[in-house]
């Protein structure tokens, strides 16, 4: 057995055990036939394809037929939130820092964050104006711009938005990548409407000065309110759809737990640190809370799938499992 074959076999761990036994050799053989001569590692695209195929088979085996629609619903809510926040932050980036306090700036803007926020606004426009295959690429570009702000600020010495603003935007962006290609016009236009709404809300705020250093004045209340709004909407959809026998809302709520937790990072860290809401938690509490929030959501999803598999009847799971390879 070659090293390449062993490494492809390791990737098959994403598939259910019985599926690996029945089809594993065939799947690996297909990838080996297509691999370039002399290759020692699976191609990144092959690895992603195997992991995605494994997850798909596990979902089918569990009979969780509403999971994929739940991912699409969570992506739509996440993108609405991300573009609305980007609209607000864009306006605030245009406001000057407090004069006489030595606040740094990035030219005419408060920070480098303007690059990422404009990227999100363009992504919102792309949802409405471009074909389906482009909408994920637009979100991916905006997500990369958001992540790139941290090294860019370190290299240039220019200010950037604080991590408690960037982390929820990244979390929302990752969930938004799960959007469906086939969407009605209303869902395609909704992110652009949300972005315009964010611009309008921020423009209506008192025209006082703004700096990311004074996070408690603007950013923290906005993020806290966004967390409550997303959580309330997700729970209402979960309950309303479940009453009709549609459980995609429950999966969507589960998927959105991490972005919601990141939006509410400061209140959660303050509660963990035992400080009054008027004061900021220390850095350690913020870091630990962010790590816990980042782990809880992704951990609960496979746990829920495992529970669904255990509760599902073998006959129903078998019928779902055998519908498509």
């Amino acid at each position: 057995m070659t090293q390449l074959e062993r490494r492809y076999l390791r990737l098959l761990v994403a598939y259910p055990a019985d599926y690996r036994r029945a089809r594993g050799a065939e799947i690996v053989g297909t990838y080996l036939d297509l691999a370039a001569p002399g290759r020692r590692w699976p191609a990144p695209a092959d690895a992603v394809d195997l992991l995605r195929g494994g997850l798909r088979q596990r979902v089918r085996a569990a009979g969780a037929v509403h999971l994929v629609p739940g991912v699409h619903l969570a992506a739509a809510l996440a993108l609405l939130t991300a573009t609305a926040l980007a609209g607000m932050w864009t306006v605030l980036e245009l406001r000057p820092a407090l004069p006489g306090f030595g606040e740094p700036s990035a030219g005419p803007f408060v920070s480098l964050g303007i690059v990422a926020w404009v990227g999100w606004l363009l992504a919102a426009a792309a949802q409405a104006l471009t074909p389906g295959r482009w909408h994920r690429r637009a979100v991916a570009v905006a997500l990369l711009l958001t992540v790139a702000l941290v090294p860019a600020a370190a290299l240039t010495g220019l200010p950037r938005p604080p991590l408690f603003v960037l982390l929820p935007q990244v979390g929302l962006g990752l969930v938004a990548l799960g959007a469906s290609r086939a969407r009605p016009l209303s869902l395609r236009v909704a992110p652009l409407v949300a972005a315009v709404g964010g611009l309008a809300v921020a423009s209506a705020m008192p025209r006082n000065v703004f700096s990311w250093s004074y996070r408690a004045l603007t950013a923290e209340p906005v993020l806290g309110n966004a967390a409550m709004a997303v959580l309330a909407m997700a729970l209402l959809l979960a309950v309303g759809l479940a009453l009709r026998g549609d459980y995609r809302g429950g999966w969507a709520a589960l998927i959105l737990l991490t972005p919601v937790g990141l939006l509410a990072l400061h209140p959660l860290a303050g509660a963990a640190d035992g400080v009054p809401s008027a004061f900021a938690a220390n850095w350690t509490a913020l870091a630990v809370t962010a790590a816990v929030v980042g782990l809880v959501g992704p951990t609960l999803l496979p746990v829920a799938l495992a529970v669904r598999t255990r509760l599902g009847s073998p006959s129903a799971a078998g019928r779902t499992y055998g519908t498509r390879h």
Side-chain angles (χ1 to χ4, degrees), residues 199-226:
L199 290 167
V201 169
S203 299
M205 288 181 176
R207 298 205 54 84
N208 54 343
V209 294
F210 177 77
S211 168
W212 287 116
S213 298
Y214 295 93
R215 58 178 183 260
L217 296 179
T218 302
E220 288 182 11
V222 168
L223 293 174
N225 291 333

Side-chain angles (χ1 to χ4, degrees), residues 52-297:
R52 183 170 53 193
L55 177 61
R56 187 182 300 117
Q57 291 298 336
R58 287 186 180 275
V59 169
R60 290 173 184 163
V65 295
H66 295 107
L67 175 57
V68 173
V71 170
H72 296 162
L73 179 58
L77 294 176
L79 188 56
L80 286 175
T81 308
T83 51
L85 289 173
M88 296 191 68
W89 303 146
T90 299
V91 173
L92 297 176
E93 290 279 1
L94 299 175
R95 298 184 177 177
L98 194 62
F101 281 75
E103 288 289 341
S105 62
F109 309 109
V110 172
S111 76
L112 290 173
I114 188 66
V115 176
W117 311 138
V118 170
W120 283 102
L121 296 183
L122 293 176
Q127 307 303 306
L129 303 176
T130 61
R133 65 179 180 273
W134 285 100
H135 74 270
R136 288 182 185 170
R137 298 177 187 177
V139 172
V141 170
L143 184 58
L144 289 174
L145 289 174
T146 307
V147 173
L149 289 178
V150 176
L155 290 172
T156 62
L158 295 173
R160 60 164 172 78
L163 289 178
F164 80 89
V165 171
L166 298 180
L167 281 176
Q169 197 75 15
V170 170
L172 291 166
L174 289 172
V175 174
L177 289 174
S180 172
R181 288 188 178 183
R183 296 165 300 157
L185 180 61
S186 58
L187 283 182
R188 291 173 51 194
V189 176
L192 186 57
V193 174
V196 173
L199 290 167
V201 169
S203 299
M205 288 181 176
R207 298 205 54 84
N208 54 343
V209 294
F210 177 77
S211 168
W212 287 116
S213 298
Y214 295 93
R215 58 178 183 260
L217 296 179
T218 302
E220 288 182 11
V222 168
L223 293 174
N225 291 333
M228 291 188 292
V230 174
L231 183 60
M233 188 176 298
L235 292 177
L236 286 173
L237 284 172
V239 173
L241 291 172
L243 292 175
R244 300 179 350 200
D246 184 346
Y247 299 104
R248 56 180 166 159
W251 290 111
L254 190 61
I255 293 166
L256 287 168
L257 280 180
T258 294
V260 167
L262 293 174
L263 285 167
L265 185 58
H266 266 267
L268 290 175
D273 199 28
V275 299
S277 58
F279 299 94
N282 62 47
W283 190 91
T284 302
L286 288 170
V288 170
T289 304
V292 171
V293 167
L295 290 173
V296 167

Side-chain angles (χ1 to χ4, degrees), residues 11-20 23 27 31 44-62 67-68 305 320-321 324-325:
L11 290 173
L12 291 181
V13 71
Y15 286 80
D18 53 350
Y19 193 88
R20 290 199 303 269
R23 300 288 300 277
I27 294 172
Y31 281 103
D46 292 347
V48 171
D49 189 49
L50 281 169
L51 294 174
R52 183 170 53 193
L55 177 61
R56 187 182 300 117
Q57 291 298 336
R58 287 186 180 275
V59 169
R60 290 173 184 163
L67 175 57
V68 173
L305 276 173
T320 305
Y321 180 85
R324 187 174 59 179
H325 295 297

